[in-house]
Amino acid sequence: DTRGGIEFAVADLDAAEFGRKEIRLAEHEMPGLMALRREYAEVYPLRGARISGSLHMTVQTAVLIETLVSLGAEVRWASCNIFSTQDHAAAAVVLGPHGSAEEPKGVPVFAWKGESLEEYWWCTERMLTWDGEGPNMILDDGGDATMLVHKGAEYEKAGVVPAADADDPDEWKVFLELLRASVAADGSKWTTIGAGVRGVTEETTTGVLRLYQLAAAGELLFPAINVNDAVTKSKFDNRYGIRHSLVDGINRGTDVLIGGKVAVVCGYGDVGKGAAESLRGQGARVIVTEIDPICALQAAMDGYQVKRLENALPEADLVITTTGNKDVVMVEHMAKMKHQAILGNIGHFDNELDMAGLARYPGIRRVTIKPQVDEWVFPNGNTIIVLSEGRLLNLGNATGHPSFVMSNSFSNQVIAQIELFTKQAEYDKEVYRLPKKLDEKVARIHLDALGGELTKLTKEQAEYIDVDVEGPFKSEHYRY
Ligand SMILES: NC(=O)c1ccc[n+]([C@@H]2O[C@H](COP(=O)([O-])OP(=O)(O)OC[C@H]3O[C@@H](n4cnc5c(N)ncnc54)[C@H](O)[C@@H]3O)[C@@H](O)[C@H]2O)c1
Ligand SMILES: Nc1ncnc2c1ncn2CC[C@H](O)C(=O)O
């Protein structure tokens, strides 16, 4: 639809008033973004930026979007997951703080909760397709937007879009069909977009992995900033955000008592650490699976039992994957789980769970209990409860991380967007991280907001530990 010159595809514009109320409350909980709006008021560092954003369309993301706009940017947005959109937030962003349903004054948003795969990729293409000049910045979460531009340009150059293999994931088949139609209609669309983008800022671990792979292959079309590995992002959002939102998703999805139960957490990285703490906080006995001896030893030292999945399954009441890897829980594992055990994933993609194998299992039956909660019935009558079809359940079954921790992450996103947009000449087609001083600046803002008192180094102390009184306070190789 298009109204007031704003193109959009959202579930219900009438939900905007509710969305605006929650955005207003969220602003109070996002001091980093509000501080950046004040710091750059009247400066408009992003004037001229045309940002295409692919990131869960939540209340928190709405505050990020409106911060980018307040710094002068034009923005188009889609969600990076078919279940993570909060429809009232999407509607409020289309209307903007001063618009109305008749006269929207916000930004184009193409996102609604419960998109099909075809709709998801349609939204992603719309988000990247501007009238006139294309985007000159991408803000990505998981790398789907970056992949669409890169694969589109690659296939335009080759003059052909490959056919999918029969056992390719449905996502990939849908993706190739979208590109087949696009390349047939305009054989240079994605090449032109790729050439016009000054840089991409990537939110999450899995998207960052994809960027380093592109860079290693010499295929990166533009510079990239790895926002995930800002300390004030991954050591906070990935851990403390999950500590809050994992249990939220399980409770809203199943209302099953977690206390006294046995929970298996696959992966003990930043997300796995938050997941284990979240479940232990509810009184679960947590068992961790890991492939990395260092993270496994951390789990053991944190008091968790460390086992291989197949040895933990017989007693598991919940199994949660957090690895960023694929094929972690296969249908053979699922067939051995306890009756009505809960299976969920909080990694970025659903391929951590063998959902295709489950759907193909002979005699399997799917009973939808409610949206994003399915009971899968095996022929022997044993059933498992799968959340959000294996997609990240904290956003599919709940509302994701709370505002305060997303303020940390999104402050880094805004800083990274300004860096790449205004200092393009300083960046090559490589993957960069933000300097430690900016990381410490984000931490300082949020510590102040929590009422924390920072101790000041004396000049002598600073010299003794060989740092500047004003920081950076740690070496580049320091591990927080
Ligand atoms: N749901 C959310 O809100 C949210 C938030 C942040 C990150 N993420 C996503 O969560 C995933 C994990 O992120 P992270 O920052 O914790 O990554 P990480 O690399 O810190 O941790 C992943 C851990 O999984 C382990 N692992 C890999 N394969 C495994 C396997 N087969 N079995 C057991 N362990 C295995 C690795 O050794 C590693 O320790 C990524 O996909 C990331 O994008 C989701
Ligand atoms: N509330 C949220 N809004 C937007 N994205 C969210 C929210 N909670 C988790 N995420 C996922 C982003 C996270 O930084 C990641 O790395 O995946």
Side-chain angles (χ1 to χ4, degrees):
D1 199 347
T2 299
R3 273 185 230 171
I6 306 284
E7 191 190 352
F8 61 91
V10 297
D12 175 13
L13 271 190
D14 292 340
E17 184 183 356
F18 170 36
R20 184 53 53 191
K21 288 175 187 170
E22 290 216 323
I23 288 167
R24 179 171 53 77
L25 296 179
E27 287 172 353
H28 178 66
E29 277 285 295
M30 300 187 88
L33 290 182
M34 304 318 281
L36 287 166
R37 291 190 194 183
R38 288 190 298 275
E39 180 181 347
Y40 290 106
E42 314 307 320
V43 174
Y44 303 113
L46 292 176
R47 188 196 308 272
R50 294 186 303 281
I51 304 171
S52 279
S54 168
L55 199 154
H56 310 285
M57 186 56 250
T58 65
V59 165
Q60 291 71 37
T61 298
V63 182
L64 165 63
I65 291 167
E66 294 183 347
T67 301
L68 295 168
V69 170
S70 76
L71 268 54
E74 291 177 82
V75 174
R76 289 172 77 92
W77 212 267
S79 186
C80 61
N81 180 278
I82 62 172
F83 292 135
S84 60
T85 294
Q86 290 155 26
D87 291 324
H88 62 314
V93 168
V94 170
L95 263 55
H98 311 297
S100 67
E102 297 66 38
E103 187 75 18
K105 292 179 178 167
V107 309
V109 175
F110 309 92
W112 56 93
K113 191 176 182 72
E115 295 161 4
S116 69
L117 293 177
E118 290 76 6
E119 291 165 340
Y120 170 79
W121 283 108
W122 178 85
C123 289
T124 303
E125 179 171 24
R126 294 310 309 146
M127 169 272 294
L128 282 158
T129 305
W130 293 64
D131 290 338
E133 273 198 281
N136 52 22
M137 291 296 294
I138 294 176
L139 194 156
D140 211 349
D141 181 332
D144 276 353
T146 302
M147 182 175 73
L148 180 51
V149 174
H150 279 75
K151 284 296 180 189
E154 178 190 328
Y155 296 155
E156 285 170 351
K157 187 175 177 187
V160 66
V161 177
D165 295 336
D167 57 357
D168 276 339
D170 289 347
E171 274 87 343
W172 185 247
K173 292 174 180 169
V174 170
F175 176 76
L176 290 180
E177 283 319 301
L178 175 131
L179 276 179
R180 202 176 315 288
S182 165
V183 171
D186 175 348
S188 63
K189 170 174 182 175
W190 300 105
T191 304
T192 305
I193 288 175
V197 170
R198 297 188 189 183
V200 58
T201 60
E202 171 56 49
E203 174 81 3
T204 201
T205 319
T206 288
V208 158
L209 172 65
R210 286 172 146 187
L211 283 175
Y212 283 114
Q213 290 169 334
L214 280 171
E219 293 168 2
L220 206 48
L221 292 175
F222 32 75
I225 289 186
N226 161 4
V227 169
N228 183 72
D229 289 314
V231 179
T232 50
K233 193 276 174 183
S234 45
K235 299 301 174 189
F236 291 84
D237 166 329
N238 301 28
R239 177 167 185 170
Y240 303 118
I242 285 291
R243 183 177 66 181
H244 180 105
S245 63
L246 169 60
V247 170
D248 192 9
I250 295 169
N251 287 346
R252 293 192 205 204
T254 71
D255 230 359
V256 162
L257 178 72
I258 296 171
K261 303 288 181 67
V262 173
V264 177
V265 172
C266 301
Y268 201 69
D270 293 324
V271 169
K273 290 174 172 75
E277 195 178 345
S278 185
L279 294 163
R280 175 152 71 179
Q282 292 294 311
R285 177 160 64 81
V286 176
I287 299 171
V288 166
T289 77
E290 251 294 349
I291 53 145
D292 175 333
I294 296 172
C295 294
L297 183 59
Q298 286 180 315
M301 294 277 186
D302 288 338
Y304 301 110
Q305 200 176 8
V306 179
K307 298 180 84 165
R308 278 192 295 281
L309 180 61
E310 53 274 17
N311 297 332
L313 277 183
E315 57 183 329
D317 301 296
L318 300 99
V319 177
I320 304 293
T321 54
T322 77
T323 71
N325 204 337
K326 68 173 188 172
D327 300 340
V328 179
V329 182
M330 302 307 287
V331 66
E332 292 74 22
H333 295 123
M334 300 177 200
K336 295 184 185 123
M337 286 172 67
K338 287 170 74 172
H339 183 55
Q340 282 192 212
I342 295 163
L343 174 60
N345 164 54
I346 46 179
H348 186 77
F349 286 124
D350 64 334
N351 57 356
E352 305 213 16
L353 309 186
D354 177 19
M355 294 307 296
L358 177 61
R360 283 197 301 265
Y361 193 87
I364 198 74
R365 214 162 32 87
R366 173 180 175 180
V367 179
T368 294
I369 306 298
K370 64 182 182 181
Q372 284 81 53
V373 181
D374 292 303
E375 180 185 29
W376 289 82
V377 186
F378 285 90
N380 65 3
N382 210 55
T383 77
I384 59 171
I385 310 289
V386 179
L387 299 179
S388 289
E389 299 176 18
R391 298 169 197 277
L392 59 194
L393 72 95
N394 61 317
L395 283 148
N397 293 90
T399 57
H401 300 343
S403 299
F404 194 86
V405 80
M406 292 314 295
S407 174
N408 268 26
S409 305
F410 289 166
S411 297
N412 285 293
Q413 275 288 1
V414 172
I415 291 167
Q417 284 281 316
I418 295 170
E419 271 294 303
L420 282 184
F421 181 70
T422 60
K423 300 176 187 170
Q424 178 183 13
E426 296 174 27
Y427 289 91
D428 297 322
K429 295 175 183 177
E430 297 296 340
V431 185
Y432 297 84
R433 283 184 296 121
L434 290 170
K436 193 174 289 294
K437 274 195 84 73
L438 293 175
D439 228 335
E440 292 175 349
K441 172 183 172 182
V442 171
R444 203 184 291 274
I445 294 168
H446 292 87
L447 178 71
D448 290 352
L450 292 180
E453 279 182 359
L454 213 48
T455 300
K456 194 142 179 71
L457 276 172
T458 64
K459 189 169 175 304
E460 294 70 26
Q461 287 176 316
E463 286 166 2
Y464 184 80
I465 60 170
D466 198 15
V467 299
D468 187 288
V469 173
E470 294 308 320
F473 298 103
K474 291 291 186 302
S475 62
E476 271 311 305
H477 55 269
Y478 183 82
R479 290 177 174 80
Y480 293 80

